[in-house]
Amino acid sequence: MTAAEGLLPVAERARVRRAALRLVRADGRAFVAALLLNALAAGAGLVGPWLVGRIVDDVRAGQGVGAVDRLAPWILVCALAQLLLARWARFVGYRFGERTLARVREEYVERVLALPASVVERAGTGDLTARGTADVATVGTTLRDIGPELLVNTVQALFVLVAVFALDPLLGAFGLLGLTPIWLALRWYLRRARDGYLAEGAATSQVAEIVASTAAGARTVEAFGLSERRVTASRDALEEARRTRFYTLFLRTVFFPAVEVTYTVPVAGVLLLGGWLHQRGAVGVGAVVAAALYLRQFTEPLDQILMRVEQLQSSSASFARVEGLAQTPSGRTAGVVQTARSPGPADDRIDVRGVRYAYERGGEVLRGVDLTVRPGERLAVVGPSGAGKTTLSRLLAGIDRPGTGTVTVGGVPVADLEPELLRRQVVLVTQEHHVFLGTVRDNLLIAEPEAADADLWAALAAVGADDWVRDLPEGLDTRLGAGGCATDGSQAQQLALARVVLADPHTLILDEATALLDPTTARHAERALAAVLEGRTVIAIAHRLHTAHDADRVAVMEDGRLTELGTHEDLVTAGGAYAALWHTWHGDTDGDSGSASANGTS
């Protein structure tokens, strides 16, 4: 199943089976050992009912108490052997489950980190959160508990059925026939369970997305009076979650009562048929008793199997959601599978040719943009809100792929570059930033794991962050985030900029990257970055027009089009849209401010 309307994909049944087999093969020895131990335990459990049947036949033959004294100890020995073997089998099975769960978690994290930013943005963090928490936990419960238990009970059930057929094929066939209602109920349930649990998982993801987005935008919700809308959205999501959970509950309330009633059918049928056959001398009483005991013994593993099958449906749906991340292209955009490794760029020149772009369920944002950014140039992109500046920066950084046209670096489409190569070519820094749990050093080494302390201090100095880091209790080893030192918005943004310096790309795109810094610190950080990246390309989505003033060239965007391009002096002299923005920003009422939007260059 592919992603639709921004949702992450869900793996098909065949892919889930292949993934499960791959996990089993990864720890095949433990799986085989658990299987053999369970088989031995099941075999030991079969001896007891057979010995009881022997005792019945021997007593009826007149051997008296001696037959009981001779065979009863062996029943105890077999019961003890079954206990020890089953315990050993569970120990091996649980270890197998924990190791396999670790592999699932590691693969999930690797796949999440490999997802293109555009895919994550369209899908929302709620879906990823639900898959990484509830779904992975459900898969873990299956691997650790349900899997070993299902294996144990399946082996026991098979051995019991074989034992009944070995006693008397007719009794075995009749007992198996008595299980038909269970098979019909199971078939009815399995046809509906997977879709039901997938719908429940999707509804849970939607609830998580609503809660996460509401919490993240709490200030915006309060400022614009959106509380009622968010409450309504939350109630709708919760109602959908309630409806899907009630549906899976309905499936269980039909399935389990039908199964419980059917358990007595095979035992009663074998006793009635056995009594009739015994009257005709076709079978002995001991065989009938043993067969009835076997089928009674069969009830326990069968009940556990059906319980585990029900849980397995939920787990299978969760595993399909977790494994579905593997179907998301690891390239820079969704829906485009890279079949061959991209060639390296010939140089650092960036060319934008005839680019058009539209977001899903939205109008066209870029309309035929043409632009060339020369190596080592500092370009400022300005324009009113909604002009397409941020969208252009995402295309330049390879996060999104243009609908039509091309965006290339050194003649190679930016979106086709391998992630590691792209990071060394173009880096986009936005006003969104994140401080990771860990030390200052940990936060910086993310960009360049091999960097020495001297490199870290140089990067911090480049963005004006070295002073406050030196004042921390343990300097670079000071822990940040929860349980450590708190950082304000400007400090967090400085750390993000320091990571960019360490990454050392030849092209740096600043999408209002200094918007949260105070003007003095922002200006210092921008100048420091320009000095550190001397000879490299800097593309700044200008929030303050002093950035455009310092640039080599200024690109003006209006309504998704590039309308002006030139130096600051030339554009001011031309008296066009940029000149109007400049005069408005300086409060010059004599300038032509009519074409400048009231919202300036946000």
Side-chain angles (χ1 to χ4, degrees):
M1 183 183 301
T2 58
E5 297 182 355
L7 296 179
L8 294 169
V10 175
E12 303 87 351
R13 294 176 187 266
R15 190 182 187 97
V16 171
R17 287 194 293 269
R18 289 195 299 269
L21 290 175
R22 172 174 50 81
L23 292 173
V24 169
R25 286 195 298 268
D27 199 3
R29 291 185 177 180
F31 181 80
V32 172
L35 189 63
L36 291 176
L37 289 170
N38 283 318
L40 292 174
L46 294 178
V47 177
W50 179 77
L51 290 175
V52 171
R54 282 286 306 277
I55 290 174
V56 171
D57 286 339
D58 290 347
V59 170
R60 285 176 55 84
Q63 295 186 21
V65 180
V68 178
D69 295 338
R70 185 177 68 256
L71 297 177
W74 288 106
I75 296 178
L76 295 176
V77 170
C78 291
L80 180 61
Q82 182 186 20
L83 174 64
L84 296 176
L85 288 169
R87 181 180 178 83
W88 190 6
R90 280 175 170 80
F91 174 77
V92 174
Y94 289 149
R95 286 178 61 86
F96 165 80
E98 289 294 345
R99 287 193 294 267
T100 306
L101 173 59
R103 292 188 180 92
V104 171
R105 286 173 172 163
E106 290 169 359
E107 288 181 356
Y108 181 81
V109 172
E110 291 175 357
R111 289 167 177 172
V112 168
L113 294 178
L115 287 176
S118 57
V119 172
V120 176
E121 291 173 0
R122 281 192 289 267
T125 56
D127 196 8
L128 279 176
T129 301
R131 295 188 189 212
T133 54
D135 289 327
V136 170
T138 300
V139 173
T141 301
T142 299
L143 295 172
R144 185 182 59 250
D145 301 325
I146 299 175
E149 291 291 338
L150 185 62
L151 185 62
V152 170
N153 291 298
T154 300
V155 173
Q156 289 179 347
L158 290 175
F159 272 57
V160 168
L161 283 178
V162 171
V164 175
F165 274 94
L167 284 173
D168 188 278
L170 188 58
L171 292 178
F174 198 79
L176 191 61
L177 184 63
L179 299 176
T180 301
I182 296 180
W183 178 78
L184 293 175
L186 182 62
R187 184 180 178 186
W188 176 88
Y189 173 77
L190 292 180
R191 283 181 173 178
R192 296 161 175 80
R194 175 182 163 86
D195 291 340
Y197 282 112
L198 284 176
E200 183 178 332
T204 301
S205 293
Q206 183 62 22
V207 171
E209 176 65 26
I210 290 290
V211 173
S213 60
T214 301
R219 293 183 179 179
T220 302
V221 171
E222 182 178 357
F224 289 93
L226 302 176
S227 300
E228 292 186 5
R229 292 187 182 180
R230 300 309 296 173
V231 169
T232 300
S234 299
R235 285 177 176 171
D236 291 342
L238 289 170
E239 173 60 25
E240 179 64 14
R242 184 199 65 81
R243 186 189 65 78
T244 56
R245 292 194 179 190
F246 269 50
Y247 177 71
T248 56
L249 178 61
F250 161 73
L251 296 180
R252 294 192 292 271
T253 56
V254 172
F255 175 62
F256 284 112
V259 168
E260 292 292 339
V261 171
T262 310
Y263 281 152
T264 59
V265 175
V267 178
V270 165
L271 287 174
L272 291 173
L273 178 63
W276 182 77
L277 292 175
H278 175 67
Q279 288 182 347
R280 285 156 178 77
V283 67
V285 175
V288 176
V289 171
L293 289 175
Y294 278 140
L295 288 175
R296 185 65 187 88
Q297 185 178 333
F298 177 74
T299 300
E300 178 61 25
L302 180 61
D303 183 61
Q304 291 297 319
I305 288 172
L306 295 176
M307 287 284 293
R308 302 310 183 189
V309 164
E310 185 275 327
Q311 294 170 334
L312 202 59
Q313 295 307 300
S314 174
S315 178
S316 177
S318 295
F319 194 23
R321 286 163 51 78
V322 172
E323 189 65 22
L325 290 184
Q327 297 178 246
T328 303
S330 59
R332 306 307 300 173
T333 56
V336 179
V337 180
Q338 298 172 354
T339 58
R341 182 174 294 274
S342 303
D347 52 40
D348 299 344
R349 171 171 163 159
I350 296 176
D351 290 298
V352 180
R353 293 289 176 265
V355 166
R356 293 179 175 271
Y357 186 84
Y359 290 102
E360 295 180 8
R361 300 184 301 276
E364 200 171 42
V365 182
L366 297 180
R367 300 176 174 86
V369 176
D370 291 291
L371 175 67
T372 296
V373 184
R374 299 184 293 266
E377 180 180 25
R378 178 154 186 164
L379 175 72
V381 182
V382 303
S385 297
K389 305 186 301 296
T390 295
T391 301
L392 178 62
S393 70
R394 291 168 62 87
L395 297 181
L396 291 171
I399 295 175
D400 290 319
R401 184 182 297 270
T404 59
T406 60
V407 179
T408 62
V409 54
V412 178
V414 178
D416 288 345
L417 293 174
E418 298 292 329
E420 284 301 316
L421 180 58
L422 177 63
R423 187 168 65 91
R424 296 300 182 186
Q425 301 291 322
V426 183
V427 168
L428 170 66
V429 182
T430 69
Q431 57 185 310
E432 299 176 2
H433 48 267
H434 184 74
V435 176
F436 296 92
L437 293 178
T439 64
V440 177
R441 178 182 282 103
D442 295 335
N443 272 266
L444 297 177
L445 290 178
I446 292 172
E448 181 50 67
E450 303 300 325
D453 282 5
D455 300 322
L456 303 184
W457 284 115
L460 291 170
V463 297
D466 55 329
D467 289 339
W468 66 264
V469 172
R470 293 184 190 279
D471 291 337
L472 293 175
E474 298 179 55
L476 291 174
D477 294 318
T478 303
R479 291 190 61 82
L480 303 177
C485 291
T487 55
D488 58 29
S490 63
Q491 291 172 336
Q493 201 160 36
Q494 285 176 320
L495 288 176
L497 294 175
R499 287 195 286 264
V500 172
V501 175
L502 289 169
D504 196 23
H506 72 66
T507 297
L508 177 63
I509 302 174
L510 303 175
D511 186 0
E512 302 182 2
T514 57
L516 296 182
L517 302 180
D518 60 84
T520 301
T521 304
R523 195 170 182 84
H524 172 71
E526 290 168 357
R527 286 177 174 174
L529 277 172
V532 171
L533 298 177
E534 185 177 357
R536 293 173 172 80
T537 307
V538 177
I539 302 173
I541 308 301
H543 181 67
R544 302 179 178 92
L545 286 189
H546 67 72
T547 302
H549 179 273
D550 296 337
D552 298 328
R553 286 193 303 165
V554 179
V556 181
M557 295 199 66
E558 295 180 292
D559 195 27
R561 294 181 175 86
L562 185 62
T563 57
E564 292 184 303
L565 181 64
T567 65
H568 166 77
E569 291 77 8
D570 291 342
L571 295 183
V572 171
T573 302
Y578 179 76
L581 288 171
W582 180 258
H583 291 309
T584 301
W585 189 62
H586 278 279
D588 184 1
T589 57
D590 295 333
D592 180 14
S593 60
S595 61
S597 300
N599 52 15
T601 61
S602 62

